[in-house]
């Protein structure tokens, strides 16, 4: 960065390179070196990232099409890592003019006047990223430019002089990555204004036809839901975008957990105070998978990965608050703590009409039960819906234990850990079940798994569960009728 003038730049042997060639060259080098091109993006290794790399190698403008929370904007921002660390530009240029290929009147006249003494500045790659959220109020003046009457008055120029132009966001992003998020929300007339920029590279402002061959890597993001609900991408604009890449949600719990644990903002003191069993983390992700398949939730709208991220934060906070109230220095997440993640669910799902009738909180609560039901068969034998009267089951002893509890069995939300452990320890058939099917289970995880079994027996109609203000009551579903209670 010791080069300060155009003459020194020429002497150094510097050669101009378009941003698309720059991205392509650096990507080729990363691929050859077996480096990770998009660090911190999980689940796209064999789908989205190869397509994105092919688009960059093809020097295309790109549209990332996918539902909410599918890392579209993150991918766009990570493209910065494929740029050169610094590039030279004509000092004072509003549009980052390449000193060897100037395009603005300011840079052309400055180089004509000063020649090799033209001052050069250096632009770091972190400054070569511009982003605009497409909203209905965006104007052509915002993104392309307009005549500036104040500049005309100050410079005593007529409106016929192109020096009175104020450049918009796109010309100012020359030699940069320019991202337009939620493209379908951009009004059709504004989308039309992008035609020439994408194809021919020239722009027109208030009658000024400027031949500005802008050097920009365009990246658009769009949600397919928007094509019907709020707007659409006009066909000629889609035609000018080189590659359209479809993003997707994680396909398995392991990938989803990686994303959640990477993105969740947890306080260190909270992480050391609250222990989270692996089963609890899997259950959290399974809730999201259940939500994406649930009939009460609008599948077209999608269920963002942010749901599980905020749910994990809320889950730990629920357990932390409970431990603080009880005076415990350390605690283990309980299944009943999952009630605390309901606010994370209700704000992030779009319900269909039937779901609205059920109520968001009830739909969210039922998702927890569905997740328990889905994961249960991975740890314990399946509970058959229909069985012969004399058939024995691994769960008969547990059900019988509850049959003999006249008052029902209550787990209070704010019970101290010792009390919680004592209550679950009293259900001795649970110990036998865990010893038989989960013999290697860590001692500290046993209480969570025991409660998990109780919730699963409720989902399979072997027990009943009643939520009340202070906690949860489990009962034999038929015992009360037989005993006359």
């Amino acid at each position: 960065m010791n080069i300060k003038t155009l003459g020194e730049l020429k002497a150094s042997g510097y050669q101009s390179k378009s941003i698309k060639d720059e991205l392509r060259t650096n990507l080729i080098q990363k691929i050859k070196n077996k480096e990770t091109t998009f660090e911190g993006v999980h689940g796209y290794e064999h789908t989205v990232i190869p397509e994105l790399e092919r688009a960059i190698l093809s020097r295309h403008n790109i549209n990332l099409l996918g539902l909410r929370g599918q890392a579209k904007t993150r991918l766009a921002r990570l493209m910065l890592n494929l740029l050169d660390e610094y590039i030279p530009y004509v000092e004072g240029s509003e549009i980052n003019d390449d000193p060897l290929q100037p395009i603005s009147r300011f840079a052309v006249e400055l180089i004509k006047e000063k020649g090799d003494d033209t001052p050069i500045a250096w632009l770091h790659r972190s400054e070569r990223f511009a982003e605009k959220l497409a909203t209905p109020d965006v104007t052509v003046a915002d993104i392309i430019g307009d005549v500036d009457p104040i500049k005309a008055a100050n410079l005593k120029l007529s409106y016929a002089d192109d020096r009175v132009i104020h450049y918009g966001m796109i010309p100012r992003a020359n030699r940069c990555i320019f991202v337009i998020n939620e493209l379908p929300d951009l009004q059709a007339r504004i989308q039309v204004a992008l035609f020439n920029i994408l194809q021919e590279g020239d722009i027109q402002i208030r009658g000024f036809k400027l031949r500005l061959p802008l050097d920009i890597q365009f990246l658009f993001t769009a949600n397919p839901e928007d094509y019907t609900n709020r707007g659409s991408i006009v066909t000629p604009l889609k035609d000018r975008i080189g590659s359209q890449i479809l993003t997707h949600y994680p396909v398995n719990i392991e990938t989803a957990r990686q994303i959640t644990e990477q993105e969740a903002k947890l306080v260190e003191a909270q992480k050391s105070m609250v222990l989270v069993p692996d089963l609890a983390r899997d259950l959290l992700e399974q809730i999201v998978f259940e939500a994406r398949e649930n009939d009460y939730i609008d599948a077209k709208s999608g269920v963002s990965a942010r749901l599980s991220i905020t749910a994990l934060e809320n889950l730990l906070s629920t357990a932390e608050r409970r431990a603080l109230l009880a005076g415990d220095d350390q605690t283990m997440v309980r299944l009943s703590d999952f009630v605390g993640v309901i606010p994370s669910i209700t704000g992030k799902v779009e319900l269909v009409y039937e779901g609205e009738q059920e109520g968001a909180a009830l739909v969210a609560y039922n998702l927890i039960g569905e997740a328990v039901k889905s994961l249960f068969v991975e740890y314990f034998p399946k509970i058959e819906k229909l069985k012969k009267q004399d058939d024995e089951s691994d769960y008969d002893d547990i059900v019988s234990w509850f049959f003999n509890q006249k008052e029902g069995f209550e787990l209070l939300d704010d019970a101290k850990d010792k009390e919680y452990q004592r209550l679950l320890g009293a259900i001795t058939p649970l110990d036998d079940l865990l010893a038989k099917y989960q013999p290697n289970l860590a001692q500290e995880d046993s209480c969570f798994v025991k409660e998990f079994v109780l919730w699963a027996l409720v989902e399979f109609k072997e027990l009943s569960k009643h939520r009340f203000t202070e906690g949860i009551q489990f009962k034999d579903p038929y015992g009360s009728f037989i005993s006359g209670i």
Side-chain angles (χ1 to χ4, degrees), residues 277-294:
D278 278 347
L279 176 56
R281 293 183 185 274
D282 288 349
L283 187 61
L284 198 69
E285 302 302 338
Q286 187 63 38
I287 290 170
V288 183
F289 280 78
E290 295 295 334
R292 290 175 186 146
E293 301 294 327
N294 193 277

Side-chain angles (χ1 to χ4, degrees), residues 89-151:
Y89 69 100
V90 176
E91 190 172 359
S93 167
E94 290 181 86
I95 61 171
N96 307 318
D97 276 285
D98 183 338
L100 302 183
Q101 295 179 358
I103 58 173
S104 72
R105 177 165 174 169
F106 165 82
V108 170
E109 290 185 350
L110 186 65
I111 292 171
K112 187 176 179 181
E113 177 192 339
K114 297 197 173 183
D116 285 352
D117 292 328
T118 304
I120 300 300
W122 292 85
L123 193 66
H124 189 260
R125 63 181 164 215
S126 61
E127 300 175 86
R128 296 176 64 193
F129 184 86
E131 190 173 9
K132 179 64 180 169
L133 177 63
T135 53
D137 61 332
V138 173
T139 64
V140 173
D142 291 334
I143 62 170
I144 296 177
D146 203 350
V147 170
D148 186 348
I150 297 174
K151 186 184 282 189

Side-chain angles (χ1 to χ4, degrees), residues 222-433:
N223 187 325
E225 177 199 17
D226 297 344
Y227 288 176
T228 52
N229 283 10
R230 292 199 291 273
S232 63
I233 302 176
V234 296
T235 305
L237 180 60
K238 281 197 284 187
D239 185 51
R240 284 165 166 79
I241 300 171
S243 291
Q244 178 169 280
I245 298 169
L246 303 179
T247 58
H248 58 83
Y249 288 122
V251 294
N252 55 55
I253 283 179
E254 291 74 21
T255 304
R257 270 186 62 171
Q258 266 187 298
I259 295 167
T260 301
E261 287 166 24
Q262 174 182 285
E263 300 300 319
K265 296 177 175 62
L266 304 173
V267 181
E268 284 302 320
Q270 196 176 51
K271 287 195 282 187
S272 60
M273 183 182 196
V274 182
L275 304 177
V276 187
D278 278 347
L279 176 56
R281 293 183 185 274
D282 288 349
L283 187 61
L284 198 69
E285 302 302 338
Q286 187 63 38
I287 290 170
V288 183
F289 280 78
E290 295 295 334
R292 290 175 186 146
E293 301 294 327
N294 193 277
D295 291 338
Y296 289 137
I297 294 171
D298 186 359
K300 292 179 184 176
S301 183
V303 179
S304 169
R306 298 183 191 96
L307 193 158
S308 54
I309 294 165
T310 54
L312 178 61
E313 293 165 353
N314 256 353
L315 180 63
L316 265 72
S317 296
T318 304
E320 180 186 34
R321 178 181 178 276
R322 170 173 51 72
L324 291 170
L325 288 170
D328 293 328
D329 294 328
Q330 198 173 55
T331 190
M332 172 70 75
V333 163
R334 303 173 188 173
L335 216 158
S336 47
D337 291 332
F338 273 73
V339 175
V341 309
I342 288 176
S344 298
I345 301 171
T346 54
K348 290 186 172 56
V349 294
E350 296 289 332
L351 301 179
V352 296
Y353 176 76
E354 293 82 358
E356 295 287 359
Q357 297 298 106
E358 285 287 313
L362 183 59
V363 170
Y365 189 73
N366 289 340
L367 286 175
I368 300 170
E370 290 296 324
V372 169
K373 190 175 180 180
S374 296
L375 282 185
F376 182 72
V377 292
E378 296 182 18
Y379 292 84
F380 298 99
K382 186 179 180 182
I383 300 173
E384 299 296 339
K385 287 183 180 178
L386 298 173
K387 60 182 180 180
K388 294 178 182 177
Q389 191 171 3
D390 297 331
D391 285 352
E392 291 188 357
S393 163
D394 289 294
Y395 310 102
D396 289 344
D397 290 344
I398 301 172
V399 175
S400 297
W401 190 92
F402 280 90
F403 181 82
N404 296 319
Q405 300 298 307
K406 304 299 182 188
E407 300 296 326
F409 174 81
E410 293 181 355
L411 282 178
L412 299 181
D413 291 342
D414 295 334
K416 284 178 170 284
D417 277 2
K418 286 184 179 178
E419 176 64 10
Y420 174 73
Q421 291 162 12
R422 185 191 68 76
L423 287 167
L424 287 171
I427 312 172
T428 50
L430 281 175
D431 292 317
D432 299 332
L433 184 73

Side-chain angles (χ1 to χ4, degrees), residues 64-80:
L64 293 172
L65 180 65
L67 297 172
R68 64 180 82 173
Q70 291 186 350
K72 299 187 294 294
T73 306
R74 165 162 289 204
L75 286 169
R77 290 173 179 168
L78 286 172
M79 279 182 67
L80 272 179

Side-chain angles (χ1 to χ4, degrees), residues 460-480:
F460 287 102
K461 307 293 189 291
E462 297 290 323
L463 295 177
S464 66
K465 174 166 60 71
H466 170 63
R467 175 81 199 167
F468 60 100
T469 309
E470 291 84 16
I472 298 173
Q473 183 187 61
F474 294 91
K475 293 179 71 173
D476 173 75
Y478 312 113
S480 59

